Structures are given as C-alpha cells and as structure tokens.
Amino acid sequence: MSSTLQLAFLLGDGIGPEIVSAAVEVAKAALQMETIETEWQELPVGQIAIDEFGQAVPNQTLDVLEQVDGWILGPHDSASYPEPYLSQLNPSGSIRKHFDLFANIRPAKHFPETEALCPGTDLVIVRENTEGFYADRNTHQGTGEFMPTPDVAIAMGIITRQAVERIAHVGFQLAMQRRKKLTVVHKANVLKLTTGLFRDVCYEIAALYPEVTVDDFHIDAVTVHLLRRAPEFDVLVTENMFGDILSDMTGQLAGSLGIAPSINASANRAMAQAAHGSAPDIAGQGLANPIAMMLSTAMLLEWLSEQKQNPALLRAANLITESITQVVSAGTSTPDMGGSASTTEFASAVVSMILTKP
Ligand code: IPM
Ligand code: MG
C-alpha cells in the first residue's frame, strides 16, 4: 500500500464540470500546502458515460471507486437522459446504493456578513440514505414502486431498525462533537408504523448518549420552526425523503442552495456531493456557485482525516473552508450570493487565498 492519497472525481452533467473542476483545483492547492501526495483520477458518469459506455455509471467507474480513498461526484441531469436510462435509478442513487453509503450528512451554515433568510444558521441534516420513502432505491432488487394498471401507481416506504440504529448513531456522534442537541424528524401521526419506528429507535439510541438533549418534530411542523428559528437547531436526523427536501430548504435558509454541501458515507467509504442539482439552465456560463462542491470536498478530507488518523488532512480541509469564508467576507462571490465573480474567478480567489497561508 502506498501512502499516496487516491482520489477520484466525476464531473457529471449541467454545471457539474465547472464546479467539480473548481473544487478539485482548490483541493489540490490545500493538499499541496499540507504536502499530502495525492493521485487524482477522472472517471466518467452521466451523459458522457452513456455516450461512451452505454451506462450512466459504467462498471469501469465502479471498479475504480472501489479502490480509491474517496471521490467527488458532480450533479447529474438524469431527467434529460434518453430511455432506457431515464427509467433507471439515477447515478447518485445507484452509487449510494452500490456502496451502501447510508449516511448523507448535510450541513447548512451561514457565512457571516452574507445575506440569508436565517442568519446565524449552523445546523446539520443527517439523512438516512438507503431506504425510507425513496422507492427507486429502497429494495435489494427491483423497485418499491409499481403500477398494477396504467391508472394505479403504488409506492412502498421501508424503515428498518438496523438502518435507523446506524443513522441515529451517526447523528448522536455528530451532536456530541457539536452543541449536543438532536432533533428527530418524522411524521408519526400519519405514517405511524414506518416513521413511528424511526422516531422510537432514535429515542432508544438516545439513551446511549445521555449528554445529548433530544426532541422530535413532525416534518411539516419542523419546516416552520426552521423558518422561524433555524439557528436554534443543531443536528436533525431523518429518513431519506424528508432529509432530501429539508436539506434544500436549510441550505437556502443559510444563504443559498449553492453553498449547501454534503458527504455520503458508510463506515469505510465517502463521496463528496453538493446538495443541489445540475442547474442545466445556467450550465457553461460561469454563473454556478462552486462553494457547495468545495465545502463537500473539504468534508471528504475531514472524514478521511478521521479514517486515517491523519491531522494533515483535517488541516487541508480547514484551509479550504477558512479560505472560502475569507474570500466571501472580502466581497468576492458568485451572483446567487449577490456578487459578480464567475465560477473560475471565485475558484482562483480561493486558491490564491490558500496559497498565501503561512
Ligand atoms: C439529493 C437529490 C438526489 C436524490 C437526486 C439528485 C437523485 O435530490 O441527493 O438531494 O433523489 O436523492
Ligand atoms: Mg435533493
């Protein structure tokens, strides 16, 4: 085993190539500053992979991902794929499922001095990533969605004790490193058995973390609580679909969906992925905000630092995060944050900031 860090990146569709390139550039600068030797590989995914290999996620790509330490996935515009790809599980769903990346960690953190609906927001959505109400990926084989007649469609939701236990542990461990507050989000007044099990198992796991203050809300109610007082929330644990919806909202509450990062992790693998989509309407125009992708990459390095017990990786992650914050505070940002920098101008500013650090 070489000590060289092995990372991969997958550009994806729409704004993917622009923001992933920006994130890789910034990561390279930070890793170089910490003299962490890194080998990067670009792997095909999405429309490019369909054209070249006849698969949105080619087997070759999965084989390499199996070997590397971690990777960055760009957004995909799977809604525009031709059949049969359109009907298949989309690339991020299928990669998450293939590697059982069960924990989707989605922070929403306001940058000081920037405009936001809820200034001071600093919370993390911990989204169960493998089952719940996303019927396109919640079964071992086939899907949990079916159509007995052309006019009847049925979808199945699945909650298992095992999946709730492992995501609850992730949430509580995170809360222990943060403000020691955890909110369970469910809809147990309606989806009594499924999200009721989710809530109850979370409370069982809570007993193992007595220092963490726990409460719970229905998904509909929590949206209003977040709008009114997001800064009071710390860690929110929820099932797949609720977490997907809620994390778009919390990203926007903290300033912009364009700054909302995430990683998808299992016990021994992680994938960086922005919480937002591929924004095909602004693709190729230099308008995309690369912050979410950059922060996701920093999260990946932080996760790797813990896995490998290597503090230099944490320093590289912090270098990225701090430099972005400084660049934004100095008034450089993309149009969605009120600035006028292009994607590449913003990336260059962050790289320069990283390289000036002692
Ligand atoms: C997300 C997304 C994905 C999902 C899409 C891109 C397939 O909404 O992760 O936020 O459905 O899980
Ligand atoms: Mg989403």
Side-chain angles (χ1 to χ4, degrees):
M1 282 285 278
S2 81
S3 64
T4 306
L5 185 67
Q6 302 284 342
L7 295 178
F9 61 97
L10 301 84
L11 296 175
D13 309 312
I15 58 171
E18 295 162 82
I19 61 172
V20 173
S21 304
V24 170
E25 200 191 322
V26 160
K28 281 183 177 167
L31 290 162
Q32 181 199 320
M33 289 298 276
E34 290 297 333
T35 56
I36 300 166
E37 216 181 294
T38 312
E39 242 169 58
W40 290 89
Q41 296 189 63
E42 182 185 339
L43 303 173
V45 77
Q47 188 59 58
I48 284 180
I50 290 174
D51 296 342
E52 202 175 322
F53 299 96
Q55 284 177 300
V57 185
N59 296 335
Q60 294 93 318
T61 291
L62 291 174
D63 289 346
V64 178
L65 293 182
E66 198 93 45
Q67 305 298 326
V68 294
D69 292 303
W71 67 91
I72 306 172
L73 175 67
H76 47 77
D77 184 16
S78 36
S80 75
Y81 295 168
E83 289 293 4
Y85 313 101
L86 183 63
S87 300
Q88 294 169 357
L89 178 54
N90 64 69
S92 57
S94 72
I95 295 174
R96 290 171 191 170
K97 188 169 170 173
H98 182 85
F99 291 108
D100 196 26
L101 303 174
F102 69 89
N104 188 203
I105 318 279
R106 298 192 147 175
K109 190 170 178 184
H110 173 234
F111 283 105
E113 297 150 66
T114 60
E115 252 186 64
L117 291 168
C118 291
T121 297
D122 179 7
L123 58 81
V124 184
I125 306 283
V126 175
R127 165 188 178 192
E128 202 292 319
N129 222 8
T130 63
E131 49 177 46
F133 294 90
Y134 274 174
D136 60 344
R137 66 199 77 159
N138 66 6
T139 53
H140 170 62
Q141 243 185 347
T143 84
E145 212 179 19
F146 43 101
M147 238 171 156
T149 79
D151 300 316
V152 179
I154 300 175
M156 195 167 69
I158 298 174
I159 302 285
T160 65
R161 165 175 290 277
Q162 186 248 353
V164 184
E165 282 181 359
R166 65 181 182 174
I167 198 66
H169 278 293
V170 170
F172 281 104
Q173 281 158 17
L174 192 61
M176 285 299 290
Q177 295 163 21
R178 294 174 48 95
R179 306 198 304 276
K180 299 194 171 63
K181 278 165 63 179
L182 186 141
T183 301
V184 182
V185 178
H186 58 85
K187 185 68 184 171
N189 57 341
V190 174
L191 298 163
K192 291 185 203 254
L193 299 180
T194 47
T195 72
L197 180 64
F198 192 97
R199 179 199 56 194
D200 295 347
V201 173
C202 284
Y203 272 107
E204 283 176 31
I205 301 300
L208 304 171
Y209 301 87
E211 284 176 55
V212 179
T213 306
V214 190
D215 60 3
D216 69 279
F217 285 99
H218 293 132
I219 177 67
D220 46 353
V222 87
T223 57
V224 179
H225 284 281
L226 282 163
L227 278 165
R228 282 189 5 211
R229 51 181 189 90
E232 290 172 35
F233 286 83
D234 186 12
V235 175
L236 297 97
V237 178
T238 192
E239 67 84 37
N240 208 341
M241 181 168 68
F242 295 165
D244 187 9
I245 297 168
L246 215 50
S247 57
D248 268 29
M249 188 184 82
T250 53
Q252 189 63 36
L253 291 182
S256 163
L257 188 49
I259 63 169
S262 81
I263 56 166
N264 302 262
S266 69
N268 55 9
R269 262 183 243 277
M271 163 170 91
Q273 184 184 24
H276 60 70
S278 64
D281 52 323
I282 59 161
Q285 300 172 42
L287 290 171
N289 188 346
I291 290 183
M293 206 67 253
M294 291 174 180
L295 291 177
S296 304
T297 307
M299 288 177 75
L300 173 63
L301 298 182
E302 185 179 345
W303 182 88
L304 283 167
S305 150
E306 230 170 87
Q307 284 277 315
K308 296 180 177 293
Q309 295 292 304
N310 178 354
L313 282 162
L314 178 60
R315 290 198 297 271
N318 290 339
L319 211 46
I320 295 174
T321 312
E322 284 158 19
S323 301
I324 293 171
T325 309
Q326 282 173 310
V327 167
V328 171
S329 296
T332 302
S333 64
T334 47
D336 58 308
M337 292 179 79
S340 59
S342 70
T343 312
T344 50
E345 282 164 357
F346 185 81
S348 303
V350 177
V351 168
S352 306
M353 187 63 83
I354 290 172
L355 298 179
T356 59
K357 303 272 177 186

